[in-house]
Every structure is written in C-alpha cells, then in structure tokens.
C-alpha cells in the first residue's frame, strides 16, 4: 500500500481502536478489512455527522425528559390538589406525626393541603415589578450609550453588563438581604408608604413597611438581575438600526432625541419586547436571590408590597428539608407540580419572546440569562 | 400620477428652457469652501452659486467630491468623525457655519432626499408629518390636509389614499422615494438637496421624479447630484462639473454640455471619462 | 400641482425665510433635555447596584481576609472554605468535559449539517432549554437521578444537571463561531481530500476556537455561580469531594454563601462574605480571560 494512504488510517485512532478491541488477533487480512471499513466510515463523514447529531439531540431530549419526569412525578399531586392548587392560599404538608392517609390511591400526610395561589401570584408579582423597573432603565441606558456617548463608553457598558450578568445569584441575594433590603425598609418604603394617598385601590402600597424582606425588595433585586439581558439586547438592536433613516430624520431638522424616539426606538421595538419577555422568564425562574430576600412567607398572600411573600422557585428551595421529612413522599410530588407550573410559565414566556423576534426578523436573542 | 406631470421632457425639444441665471438672486452660495476628513482633503476652494428657483446638477466621476459638497450644504457632514472645513456657505447671505446657527432651523430651510429611500418606521401619514410635528409647523386639525396636499404634490396620493395608516415598507422603491420627497417638502424648505435620488429606481419612477423636480421650481431651489448625464441635461438649469475635489466648471446646462470651456469637462460630458 | 389652499399649509417655499439663529421653542428643547437626562439617570441607576454589590462584598470580606480560608477545611467553629472551593472546581471540571462534549458536538451539528425544519427544531429546543429555570432542572435532577436512579446526593447528579443547564450556551457560541469560518476553509480542506473529522478538528474548529472557548468560559461561570440546581443534586458536605460518581455529596462555594449568611455567629457570616468574594473574583477572572481570548482572536483576524 502506498505510504500516503496509510496516514489517514493512523489518524483515526478512535475508530481503529474500537475495531481492534472487537476483533480477535486473527489473520492479518481480517484486521485490515475492519480497519479499511472503519476508515471508509470516517471518510464518508457519517461518524462526525452521527456523533454530533446525537449531541444536538441531547437538549431536545432533555427538554422533553424534564417535562415528562415532572408530569409523571407530579401526577398524584395534580389529581389530589385539583384546581385548588391554583385557587387556594393554604399550604400545609400535613402532620408527620399522625398516620398517613390514602386519597384516591395517593398516600399523603394527614391534613395535607397545597394551595399555590400565593406562590404563583408572588412569582408573577415580583417578576412584574422587575420588568416594570428594569425595562425603562435598560432601554434608557442603552439609548444614551449608543446614541450620545463616545464608543469607549459603550465598551465600559459592555463590561458592566457582563459583570452584572456573571455575578452569582446568591451574591445578589446576600446583597439584597444584608444591604439593599434594610436600606429599603429604612428609607424607601416608609417614604413611599407615607405619601401614597389613602385610597382603597392603593392599600397595597400602604401600611406596615416590614424589615426589608418582601415583595418590593425581591422585585427590585430581580430588576437588577434582568437588566443585563434587556440592556445588552437593546444595545445590539440600537446599533443595528440602519443609518439611512436616522440621517433622513436629522436632515429633516430633528434633534438627536427626536431621531432616537421616532426612528431608533420604533425600529428596535419588537426586539426590545422580545428581550423583555426573556428577562421576564429569567425573573420568573430566579431562585436563590428571591429565596434570600422574600421572607419565605407561605400560606397567605402578603397584605402589602413591603411584606414577606414567596415564589414558586423560592418555595421549592425553602421547603427542601420539609419535603425530605415527609415519609409518604407526597410533599415531593406537590413540589414537582409547582415546578411543572413554573416550567410551563417560563416556557411560554421564552417561546413567545423568540416567536416575536423571529416575526420581526430582528437580531437573535441571547440564550438564557443573556451572557 | 397627477395630470400636470403626465408629459415628461425626454427629447431635446423639451429640455428646460434656458433661464438667465445671472439676473436671478442667489439662494445659496459656497465661498472658497475647502473641506475634508482627517488628513484627507475632499473639496478644494469651491465657489458656486445656486440661483433661486432653479435646478443645479452636480456631476463628476465617483470620488470627485460632489456628494460631500451636497451634504455640507445643510451640514450633514458635521457628524462624520474628523470632519473639518474652511471657507463658508451662505444661505440668503447668512453663513450657515456661524456660531449660534441652529442646525434644526438650517435643515428645515435646506431639506435633503437621499440616494436610497429611507422611510421611518411609522405609518405613511406619520412619515409625511414627522417633520411637521417635530417643528410644530401646523396644528393638529391641519395634519390630515397637509398629508393629502403633500402626497398629491408628489403624485403619490392616489396610490396610497386607502392605506395612509399602514407601513411604508410595503410600497415600491419609487413610491418610497416619493414619500421621502413629500416628507422633505412638508416642512417647507427653501432649498432641496437630492443625492442621486433616482439611482436605485426604475425608469418610470425616475421619469416621474424628474418631471416633479421641474414642477417644484421656481418655488424651490434644487441641487441634485447625479451620475446620469442625461438626467442632468433633462432637469438642470445649471450644471457644475467636479473633478478630483475641484469645481472645474459651472455653466448653464446647455452651454456646459455643448461648448464646455475646460478640456476635462469636454472629456467627461462626451463620455470619454468617468 | 398642489392647490393654493394646501400650499398655504406651509408647502415648499410658502413662508417668509426662517431665522437661522432661531432656537427651537422651549418645550422642544426641554423635551430633549429631559429625555437625555432620564437616560443618563437610567445609566446611573444601572451602574449603582453593581457598584454597591461589589463594594458590599469586597468591603465586608477584605478587612478580615485570611488567605488560609482558601485551603482550610470547614469546622464547627468556622474554619475555611477549602473543601467548598475544591468541590466547585471538581464540579466545574466535570461540567467542562460533559457539557463541553455535548455542547461542541451540538454546535458543530447545528452549523454544519442541520438545515431547514430539523435545524430550527433542534436550535429552538436548545434555546428554550436554556430558559428553563435552574431550580426546575435541579428538581428534575433530584427526582430522576438522586431518587429515581438511587444515586443519592452525588457528583454525578450535580454534573449531569449542570451540564444540561450549560450545554446550550456552549452549543450556541460554537455554532455562531463556526458560521463565521469562511466556506473557503472548508472547501480547501475538502480539496485536499481530508477526512471530514480531520478537517473539522484541524481546520474549521481551529478557526472557530475563540468562540468555542468563550462558550466554555460562560459555561464555567454559570457552573461556578449556580446554587439552586445543586441544592437538590449535590447536596452538601463539609468533607473534601470524593470524586465518586454516586452516593457521596459534594460541597461547593455558593452553598457557603447561602447557608452561612444568616447564621447568628459572625464567624460564619464572614465566611459567607469570603465565599462571595471568591465567587466574584472567579467570575471577574473568567470575564477577563474571555475578553483576552476575543481580543487575541481579533488581532489575528486583522493581521490576515
């Protein structure tokens, strides 16, 4: 065999090694035939294609698997809790001292009630606060950086956003629990609570201002965590606004601000909405930071925005130990149901974000947390 | 297309009637204008007057500086990095570069239409009104009338009257360019700058825009950059030939094409250069 | 032509010349000023929390900083973060191997072979997976691996869970980097008669290396910083990580932040801040490295 042809054979170590491992040290021709076959397989590209194809299937399979596992595990809880899961406020894993009770085939602790309404409302409410605060801040900051400040400042902003996106959520939690939360309880909350007019509609913003662990603190900490996603996407979108219409607006005698408001922002609008939905998904699912500043208040809705509450994600974490002590395993199933609800909500937000941006034909959204 | 514009001058007999440029007041004038970017000088000592109510065509090979000159007439070059200039541009005798001149006011008086149509991301009607609203030129009750008037002025009204509220991006390239023209006219400029406004358009739209420009003078002073010598011939009263950053020759269009006084002009207009 | 009535609504040349020096009405100027001022305020509001977070962590951790925190094991009196740091490194190394393999493979497939419907389904699946909250992934890891497969709290469960979480990031940046590689490289390799695997390894992937490395660094940053999915899969221990796949819990840095911060003892609170500082420094280093990688790649591209 010419020398040149042997080189690629030697360069397919994995294929040859596998082949060798299976073939007995027998006649020389058999080994060569197997080696040739392996080489041809590698040459045809099927090996690379097959292996990478399998890898590409992993995320889709994982996604389906996640939903399947959650649904399967949660099923008895879904049956037991029924619609009450979405309408009741009481959350009680039942007594671990009494005898377990069997309802409809599912074994659970006596007196178990799982009403997830406060969890769901807490999840939606804290995320809503986050979005309401984070989106204007992100868009405004991105706008001034792209349109007004020198390019060097845009680099600084990029670095800022990377660091902000990279800081672990427990560190935000630590900050929220020990410096930001107390600050709100001491200064911001009393100030707002005192000046909100005495109207029944605004009662949610009045009254006791708590100790800094609560819905408002959690929402604002989440806002900080959502900013990188919205701001970096908005910055990229604004940079891609074509120069021509902006120039046309300037030639019409419009000021920089009017150009931004009339041309740049409308151009980026659907992308910004998509990025906001992505940020919403991130806020809905954020766990540690919320768990550390929420006050972990289960079983009722908070009576105002300053008081402790909880979210689905924070509950799954904070009820870790209690769930393990339920000998019937039913608490684990109830938490699986909560996780399933959370997964579905975030899934919807994610898919909506991507559909919206695809429809607009804008830039690609960042993956996940927007790093 | 409005009936007045149905016939377009396409034959020599229909070329614009020669006007005596010397007797007209000058709307805009460059005085020894030299400008560049960084270490590069793009225009060298240009002295050129644009008589009121006439069309002036700027011609010349690519890189001759004609577009740069056009863009400096309403200071669109200001935003270009490392831009500098010497000399002056006078609008009705007033320097446009003098300290205290408001860019917004200048650009209201000196409008611009670009090489490619550049509608804004808003409805067709709002496109026409963008400048009107920003400059608060008319009260809200007049807005509808202005949209109709300006769109009919450019001959676009019939085509879009049933979809004034929809996006301009569904319009054809020629219609988009007409919309941009209507938008520029709506703020009531004295001078209109056009940077190869028909280079991306089909022949029918081109013809329409050319006849429109003829209809807009004498109310307006028009400056048009074009690569198309026949277009210059068709629309311009005065033509200025640029070569390598210098104004070689400016003359009434017919004279520049028929008896150019500079050899470079002769070579260019006869098609031997460019 | 326009009717006279229409022209009077300020059409072309219908007015007396405007004053070039006429400033826009104050309302318009005020709107401009207010608009940009609001944007600058937004920028400040965005920067303030970051500064506050960094300052809060550094300012609290640095004054009492002891270097031996980095290697001392934890004790009931406090001790150090040695086993947690080691645990985090072990988990991160495992994630790089597992998520790296899956992510890079997936990125190659998406860029080189996946087209049309199949491509968009796979891509969308990967993107949506990255949007699933990490606590949900952790809980599924708990249900499926820790109790389903009886692995108990273990390195294996933690690794697989974090790998599912991070693989989409690696896939995305690998795919994006590969798409930037000019077709001529691939054609050149084909023309030389290279085997596809060889061409991919030696030519295409090499050209895309900065992007791939960036993706890996993002995955590392996430793996270092995650807590929620580990609580239900890695469990926790003060002991040094055992490197066994199943049955042995692993300690990690973020757990120290999460459990120690509200302990009554100051010693433990300090440990919580020390752990936060180590985490922040790790993230900053990763960001610096990824910026250096990108800058270096940019320099090479310019020279060519």
């Amino acid at each position: 065999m010419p020398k040149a042809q042997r080189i690629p054979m030697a360069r397919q170590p994995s294929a040859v090694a596998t082949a060798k491992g299976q073939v007995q040290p027998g006649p020389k021709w058999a080994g060569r035939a197997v080696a040739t076959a392996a080489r041809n397989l590698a040459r045809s590209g099927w090996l690379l294609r097959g292996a990478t194809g399998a890898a590409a299937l992993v995320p889709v399979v994982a996604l389906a698997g996640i939903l399947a596992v959650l649904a399967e595990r949660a099923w008895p809880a879904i049956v037991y809790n029924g619609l009450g899961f979405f309408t009741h406020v009481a959350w009680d894993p039942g007594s671990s001292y009494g005898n377990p009770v069997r309802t409809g085939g599912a074994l659970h602790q006596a007196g178990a009630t799982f009403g997830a309404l406060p969890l769901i409302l807490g999840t939606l409410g804290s995320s809503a606060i986050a979005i309401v605060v984070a989106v204007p801040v992100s868009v405004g900051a991105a706008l001034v950086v792209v349109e007004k400040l020198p390019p060097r400042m845009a680099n600084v902003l990029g670095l800022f956003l990377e660091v902000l996106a990279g800081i672990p959520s427990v560190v935000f939690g630590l900050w929220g629990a020990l410096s930001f939360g107390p600050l709100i309880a001491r200064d911001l909350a009393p100030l707002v609570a005192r000046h909100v007019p005495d109207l029944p509609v605004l009662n949610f913003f009045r009254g006791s201002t708590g100790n800094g662990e609560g819905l408002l603190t959690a929402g604002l900490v989440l806002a900080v965590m959502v900013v990188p996603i919205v701001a970096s996407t908005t910055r990229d979108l604004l940079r891609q606004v074509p120069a021509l219409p902006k120039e046309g607006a300037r030639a019409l005698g419009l000021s920089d601000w009017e150009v931004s408001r009339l041309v740049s922002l409308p151009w980026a609008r659907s992308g910004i909405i998509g990025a906001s939905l992505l940020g919403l998904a991130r806020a809905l699912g954020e766990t540690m930071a919320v768990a550390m500043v929420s006050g972990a208040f289960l079983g009722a809705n908070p009576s105002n925005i300053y008081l402790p509450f909880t979210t689905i994600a924070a509950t799954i974490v904070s009820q870790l130990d209690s769930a393990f002590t339920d000998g019937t395993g039913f608490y684990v199933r109830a938490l699986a149901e909560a996780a399933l609800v959370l997964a579905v909500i975030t899934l919807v937000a994610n898919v909506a974000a991507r559909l919206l941006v695809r429809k607009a034909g804008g830039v690609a959204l960042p993956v996940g947390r927007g790093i | 297309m409005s009936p007045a514009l149905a016939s377009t001058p396409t034959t020599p007999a229909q070329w614009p009637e020669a006007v005596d440029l010397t007797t007209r007041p000058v709307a805009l004038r460059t005085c020894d204008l030299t400008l560049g970017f960084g270490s590069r000088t793009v225009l060298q000592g240009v002295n050129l007057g644009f008589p009121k109510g006439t069309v002036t065509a700027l011609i010349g090979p690519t890189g001759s500086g004609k577009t740069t000159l056009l863009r400096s007439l309403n200071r669109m070059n200001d935003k270009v990095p490392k831009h500098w200039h010497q000399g002056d541009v006078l609008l009705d005798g007033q320097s446009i570069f003098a300290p205290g001149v408001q860019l917004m006011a200048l650009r209201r008086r000196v409008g611009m239409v670009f090489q490619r149509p550049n509608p804004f991301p808003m409805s067709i009607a709002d496109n026409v009104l963008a400048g009107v609203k920003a400059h608060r030129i008319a009260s809200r009750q007049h807005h509808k009338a202005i949209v109709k008037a300006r769109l009919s002025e450019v001959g676009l009204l019939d085509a879009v009257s049933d979809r004034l509220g929809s996006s301009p991006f569904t319009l054809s390239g020629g219609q988009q360019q007409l919309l941009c023209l209507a938008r520029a006219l709506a703020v009531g400029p004295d001078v209109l700058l056009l940077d190869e406004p028909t280079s991306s358009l089909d022949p029918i739209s081109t013809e329409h825009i050319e006849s429109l420009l003829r209809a807009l003078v004498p109310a307006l002073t028009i400056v048009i950059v074009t690569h198309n010598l026949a277009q210059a011939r068709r629309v311009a009263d005065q033509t200025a030939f640029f070569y390598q950053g210098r104004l070689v020759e400016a003359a009434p269009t017919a004279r520049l094409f028929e008896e150019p006084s500079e050899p470079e002009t002769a070579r260019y207009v006869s098609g031997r250069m460019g | 032509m326009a009717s006279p009535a229409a022209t009077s609504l300020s059409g072309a040349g219908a007015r007396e010349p405007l004053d070039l020096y006429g400033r826009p009405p104050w309302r318009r100027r005020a709107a401009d000023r207010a608009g940009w001022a609001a944007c600058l305020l937004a920028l400040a509001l965005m920067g303030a929390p970051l500064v506050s977070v960094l300052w809060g962590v550094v300012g609290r951790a640095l004054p009492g900083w002891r270097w031996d925190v980095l290697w001392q094991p934890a004790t009931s009196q406090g001790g150090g973060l040695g086993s947690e740091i080691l645990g985090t490194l072990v988990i991160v190394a495992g994630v790089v191997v597992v998520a790296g393999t899956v992510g890079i493979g997936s990125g190659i497939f998406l860029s080189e072979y996946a087209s049309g419907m199949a491509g968009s389904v796979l891509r969308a699946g990967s993107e949506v997976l990255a949007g699933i909250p990490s606590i949900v992934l952790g809980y599924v890891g708990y249900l499926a691996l820790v109790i389903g497969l009886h692995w108990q709290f273990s390195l294996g469960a933690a690794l697989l869970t974090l790998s599912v979480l991070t693989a989409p990031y690696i896939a995305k940046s690998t795919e994006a980097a590969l798409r930037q590689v000019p077709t001529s490289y691939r054609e050149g390799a084909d023309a030389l008669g290279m085997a596809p695997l060889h061409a991919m390894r030696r030519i295409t992937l090499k050209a895309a290396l900065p992007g791939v490395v960036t993706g890996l660094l993002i995955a590392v940053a996430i793996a270092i910083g995650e807590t929620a999915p580990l609580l239900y899969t890695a469990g926790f221990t003060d002991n040094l990580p055992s490197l066994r796949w199943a049955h042995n819990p692993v300690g990690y840095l973020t757990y120290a932040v999460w459990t120690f911060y509200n302990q009554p003892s100051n010693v433990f609170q300090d440990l919580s801040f020390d752990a936060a500082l180590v985490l922040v420094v790790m993230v900053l280093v990763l960001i610096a490295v990824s910026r250096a990688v990108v800058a270096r790649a940019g320099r090479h591209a310019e020279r060519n």
Side-chain angles (χ1 to χ4, degrees):
Chain A
M1 200 185 262
K3 203 179 169 193
Q5 282 190 3
R6 231 175 247 164
I7 295 167
M9 194 164 84
R11 293 237 174 130
Q12 302 302 331
S14 60
V16 174
T18 332
K20 268 186 191 158
Q22 288 162 353
V23 175
Q24 296 285 336
K28 221 176 173 184
W29 60 267
R32 202 189 299 159
V34 172
T36 311
R39 196 181 67 214
N40 286 345
L41 191 67
R43 271 203 171 275
S44 73
W46 276 103
L47 192 66
L48 183 60
R49 200 190 173 111
T52 59
L57 271 177
V58 169
V60 180
V61 171
L63 191 61
I66 286 165
L67 295 177
V69 166
L70 283 179
E72 192 272 327
R73 287 285 152 159
W75 185 247
I78 295 173
V79 172
Y80 175 77
N81 295 326
L83 273 181
F85 193 71
F86 300 97
T87 54
H88 292 167
V89 293
W91 183 280
D92 180 4
S95 162
S96 56
Y97 299 110
N99 286 328
V101 183
R102 188 174 290 278
T103 311
L107 197 64
H108 59 86
Q109 295 184 147
T113 323
F114 296 101
L117 183 64
L119 281 59
I120 296 171
L121 289 182
T123 303
L124 298 177
S126 57
S127 302
I129 295 174
I131 289 302
V132 165
V133 174
V135 169
V137 166
S138 305
V139 171
L143 194 64
V144 71
V145 164
V146 171
E147 305 282 348
K148 270 292 198 198
L149 300 181
R152 177 178 291 238
M153 277 299 294
N155 278 338
V156 175
L157 176 85
L159 186 63
F160 249 62
L161 293 178
E162 266 176 59
V163 175
L164 210 51
I167 288 180
S169 54
V170 272
V171 176
F172 281 114
L174 191 64
W175 172 72
L178 298 183
S179 33
F180 188 56
L183 179 86
I184 289 187
R186 197 184 63 226
D187 299 325
L188 184 69
L191 189 79
V192 177
R194 215 178 311 125
H195 289 95
V196 167
D198 190 3
L199 296 172
V201 208
L202 295 174
N203 275 349
F204 199 60
F205 299 91
R206 296 169 48 79
S208 160
T209 53
N211 65 352
E213 289 189 334
L215 182 54
L216 181 64
T217 310
L220 293 179
V221 170
L222 284 175
V224 175
M225 301 176 75
V226 165
V227 157
I229 297 176
V230 185
S232 64
T233 312
T234 306
R235 177 198 55 192
D236 295 347
L237 288 161
L238 288 175
R239 277 193 186 150
Q240 285 176 17
V241 174
L244 262 176
K246 280 161 80 175
E247 218 169 29
R250 226 173 281 129
L252 217 50
L254 269 53
S255 67
D256 285 353
W257 173 251
E258 288 160 341
V259 174
S260 300
R261 196 167 53 81
L262 292 175
V263 179
S264 302
L265 283 182
W267 213 282
R269 195 182 59 201
S270 57
I272 294 173
I273 295 174
S276 307
L277 277 172
L278 211 58
L280 178 68
R282 168 108 170 87
L284 291 168
E286 175 49 42
T287 312
M288 300 314 292
V290 177
M292 291 165 85
V293 300
S294 66
F297 182 62
L298 260 172
N301 285 312
S303 58
N304 73 31
I305 195 172
Y306 313 106
L307 294 179
F309 78 114
T310 192
T311 67
I312 298 175
T315 302
I316 296 175
V317 159
S318 68
Q319 295 305 299
L320 180 78
D321 296 333
S322 318
F324 295 161
T325 56
D326 181 348
T328 64
F330 194 78
Y331 202 177
V332 168
R333 295 184 184 278
L335 289 181
E337 185 178 2
L340 185 62
V341 171
L342 180 60
V344 169
I345 296 175
T346 50
L347 206 68
V348 169
N350 260 292
V351 171
R354 300 199 181 274
L355 282 182
L356 199 74
V357 171
R358 174 164 314 167
K359 205 175 133 212
V363 291
L365 284 178
V367 164
R369 58 178 71 189
I371 304 185
Chain B
M1 203 177 282
S2 68
L5 303 170
S7 69
T8 321
T10 48
T11 62
Q14 290 168 298
W15 282 341
E17 224 171 278
V19 286
D20 188 358
L21 296 172
T22 51
T23 59
R24 297 218 167 200
V26 175
L28 195 63
R29 175 190 294 288
T30 71
C31 304
D32 230 359
L33 187 66
T34 298
L35 61 84
F37 308 101
S39 58
R40 208 159 50 92
T41 304
V42 181
L43 275 179
Q44 188 82 54
V46 175
N47 280 299
L48 181 59
F50 303 95
K52 259 201 176 95
T54 65
V55 178
T56 300
L58 309 182
I59 62 170
T62 307
S64 57
K66 54 193 190 306
T67 295
T68 309
L69 174 68
L70 188 83
R71 291 170 56 90
S72 68
L73 296 179
N74 69 346
R75 292 182 56 180
M76 288 300 287
N77 287 328
D78 279 21
K79 279 243 166 184
V80 182
K82 295 181 183 170
H83 159 261
W84 56 267
H85 81 276
Q86 290 160 11
D88 211 344
V89 175
L90 303 179
L91 177 64
D92 279 334
Q94 279 183 307
S95 165
I96 67 167
F97 289 112
V101 164
Q102 299 290 313
L103 277 185
M104 288 148 92
L106 168 67
R107 289 172 181 165
R108 232 179 110 177
R109 284 181 62 181
V110 185
M112 191 159 189
V113 173
F114 294 79
Q115 192 168 355
R116 305 180 69 83
N118 53 358
F120 301 150
M122 51 183 83
S123 73
I124 291 173
D126 284 340
N127 258 279
V128 178
L129 291 172
V132 176
K133 283 182 183 166
H135 296 294
R136 297 203 170 76
I137 288 172
S139 53
R140 190 175 293 272
Q141 77 247 31
H142 292 125
H143 283 176
K144 214 169 176 182
I146 291 179
V147 170
K148 293 222 160 122
R150 298 285 86 84
L151 286 175
S152 87
E153 191 172 7
V154 299
L156 191 58
L157 186 60
D158 294 345
V160 301
S161 57
D162 55 338
R163 46 175 168 157
L164 290 175
S166 55
S167 163
F169 298 103
T170 55
L171 301 176
S172 74
Q175 289 173 323
Q176 288 187 22
Q177 193 64 306
L178 288 174
L179 178 64
C180 294
L181 192 58
R183 184 177 74 191
L185 292 175
V187 297
D190 306 323
V191 180
L192 191 60
L193 311 173
L194 301 110
D195 183 7
E196 299 186 45
T198 61
S199 65
S200 64
L201 303 186
D202 60 282
I204 294 174
S205 307
T206 301
E207 198 181 306
H208 178 62
I209 287 187
E210 284 175 7
S211 52
L212 192 56
L213 296 183
R214 285 313 309 172
L216 286 171
V217 288
L220 261 173
T221 306
I222 291 177
V223 185
I224 177 171
V225 165
T226 179
H227 265 119
N228 182 341
L229 294 181
Q231 181 170 62
R233 187 96 220 232
R234 286 193 296 265
V235 300
D237 303 297
Q238 176 186 235
T239 299
F241 171 62
F242 287 81
Y243 186 55
Q244 295 183 340
R246 284 177 309 109
L247 170 62
V248 176
E249 185 175 357
T253 302
R255 205 172 79 210
L256 187 113
F257 278 91
E258 278 148 30
E259 336 153 8
S261 49
E262 300 294 327
E264 283 143 334
T265 318
R267 282 206 297 147
Y268 186 73
V269 299
S270 63
R272 277 172 290 157
M273 170 171 67
Chain C
M1 233 14 267
S3 66
T7 318
S8 72
L9 296 168
S10 92
R15 295 165 291 91
E16 70 286 0
L18 259 167
D19 178 13
L20 270 189
Y21 296 86
R23 304 222 294 169
W26 71 268
R27 264 173 50 190
R28 198 172 167 199
R29 275 181 293 146
D32 281 20
R33 292 257 174 84
W36 289 121
C39 286
L40 280 173
L41 179 70
L43 189 61
L45 278 179
M46 206 184 76
L50 179 61
V51 173
S52 170
V53 168
L54 292 179
W55 177 247
V57 170
V58 174
R60 173 79 195 265
L62 264 195
W65 177 255
R66 302 173 287 125
W67 284 101
D68 64 357
V69 158
L70 296 180
W71 53 83
Q72 288 272 319
T75 65
S76 52
Q77 280 84 43
L81 300 165
S83 52
E84 285 86 348
I85 292 178
L86 204 59
T88 291
L89 293 181
V90 168
I91 292 173
V92 164
V95 167
V96 167
V97 173
V98 178
T101 310
V102 172
I104 294 174
S106 165
I108 292 175
F109 187 82
L110 289 176
S111 126
E112 308 293 310
Y113 303 112
S115 53
M117 219 14 214
S120 25
V121 168
L122 291 175
R123 210 167 284 124
S126 176
E127 287 177 357
V128 170
L129 178 65
I132 295 280
S134 60
I135 182 64
V136 172
L137 287 181
Y139 201 66
V140 169
Y142 171 74
L143 294 174
L145 305 176
V146 174
I147 53 178
L149 295 179
H150 306 291
W151 288 2
Q152 297 165 354
F153 289 140
S154 56
L155 182 61
L159 263 185
L160 289 192
T161 305
L162 276 188
S163 294
V164 167
L165 185 73
T166 52
Y169 295 87
I170 304 175
K172 175 99 176 183
S173 80
T174 302
E175 187 196 352
L178 282 173
R179 282 181 186 279
Q180 302 280 314
V181 176
T183 323
S184 59
Y185 281 35
R186 298 187 179 109
E187 285 168 351
D190 280 352
L192 284 175
M194 279 190 192
L197 191 62
H198 187 63
M200 175 51 73
R201 253 196 0 240
R202 286 301 170 89
I203 309 288
T204 324
L205 209 52
K206 205 170 177 180
L209 200 59
V212 177
V213 171
T214 311
L216 283 173
L217 291 173
I218 291 174
V220 169
I222 293 172
I224 286 176
E226 272 298 353
T227 320
L230 293 177
L231 290 174
Y232 271 101
T233 54
F236 187 72
T237 173
D238 283 340
N239 301 329
L240 288 174
S242 72
L243 295 187
R244 282 185 55 194
W245 183 260
H247 306 300
N248 288 63
V250 191
Y252 43 93
L253 266 177
T254 46
Y255 187 87
V257 181
W258 151 249
T259 39
F260 295 157
Y261 86 100
N262 54 4
Q263 303 268 323
S265 149
N266 258 341
V267 178
F268 281 102
Q269 283 195 14
D270 286 349
L271 269 186
S272 178
F273 277 96
D274 287 346
L277 180 64
V278 174
L279 285 168
V280 167
V281 169
M282 282 177 164
V283 167
L284 291 179
V285 167
L286 284 171
I287 289 173
V289 171
S290 83
R291 290 215 148 201
V293 168
V294 171
R296 211 178 116 87
R299 266 214 312 281
H300 275 277
E302 266 166 47
R303 212 179 293 150
N304 288 345

